[in-house]
Each structure stands twice: as structure tokens, then as C-alpha cells.
Amino acid sequence: MKPPADDLDARSRIWDQMQYFWMDTDPACLLPQIARVCAESAYSIEELEAIFWNEVRPAVAFNLLSAAPEWRGFEIQSLQRRILAKHRYGRPLPWRRLHADARKDWESLRAAVAALRGT
């Protein structure tokens, strides 16, 4: 998998969908849409997991700790800038004990993508 800055076109669609797991809404209602975009991508499940934990999470997890969190999602250019500034590309995954809810969200997304891909 290419570094984030070298793969903006493909990555941005994934980032835009995955950010909703850290918005002040219930991501379950958006899971089918998020899973579809991820399943249609060329990324493997392992690559999607790395994008979830090492790119999207470092950029937007702060939102759930905010006094007035965002609930509609960040505008794509702003999201791209945050991810490019804060990503942990190439580093080990930050074992999910840090974010129990995000771990559950990832497992739901993983299962939905696998079902759509027939794997």
C-alpha cells in the first residue's frame, strides 16, 4: 500500500466514510454505505484496518472528546490535511484497547466488508 500522500484519490473516499465512526452520531446507520465504499476499493481488509487505525483515528478521534463535537463530518480538504499531518502510516496498529467503541465499530465494518466481498 502506498503512503497516504501518494494515494490521495483512492484514500480520500475511504477517509471520508471512515471519519463517521468518530462523529457525534450512531455510525450503525451509516455502516452499509461505509462498508460499500470500502468493499468497492482495491484495499485488502488488512489495509483498510491500517487506514482505520493509523490514518483516520489519529486525525479525528479528538472529535469525540470535544465539548461540541462535529456530527456531520469534516469537509474533505480539511480531513485530508488533518490525516496527512497526523497519520501513523507504516507503524504498528495501536491495539484497540485504547478505543473500545472504535474496536467494535471496526469489527462491524470488517464483517460488513467481508460479507459484501463474499469472503
Side-chain angles (χ1 to χ4, degrees):
M1 179 168 69
K2 296 177 188 175
D6 297 341
D7 198 22
L8 278 180
D9 289 338
R11 263 323 200 284
S12 291
R13 292 193 69 219
I14 303 299
W15 294 339
D16 192 35
Q17 294 300 307
M18 286 185 175
Q19 72 170 315
Y20 290 106
F21 289 109
W22 283 277
M23 296 301 120
D24 191 28
T25 57
D26 180 5
C29 62
L30 297 174
L31 184 62
Q33 169 188 316
I34 299 168
R36 181 185 51 76
V37 170
C38 291
E40 290 173 354
S41 77
Y43 299 109
S44 69
I45 288 288
E46 293 77 17
E47 290 169 330
L48 289 168
E49 183 175 20
I51 292 168
F52 182 88
W53 289 109
N54 285 350
E55 296 175 21
V56 179
R57 181 194 55 86
V60 298
F62 78 93
N63 188 58
L64 293 180
L65 303 174
S66 298
E70 177 65 42
W71 57 274
R72 294 176 301 166
F74 296 103
E75 185 267 333
I76 192 64
Q77 285 81 18
S78 173
L79 179 64
Q80 287 173 339
R81 283 191 301 274
R82 287 195 63 78
I83 289 174
L84 292 175
K86 298 187 172 286
H87 71 80
R88 297 173 38 88
Y89 173 79
R91 295 185 185 169
L93 298 182
W95 283 94
R96 291 101 54 177
R97 68 184 181 279
L98 301 175
H99 297 281
D101 290 336
R103 183 185 71 237
K104 291 174 191 168
D105 290 337
W106 166 250
E107 293 303 329
S108 295
L109 178 57
R110 177 188 196 104
V113 170
L116 288 169
R117 289 181 171 174
T119 58

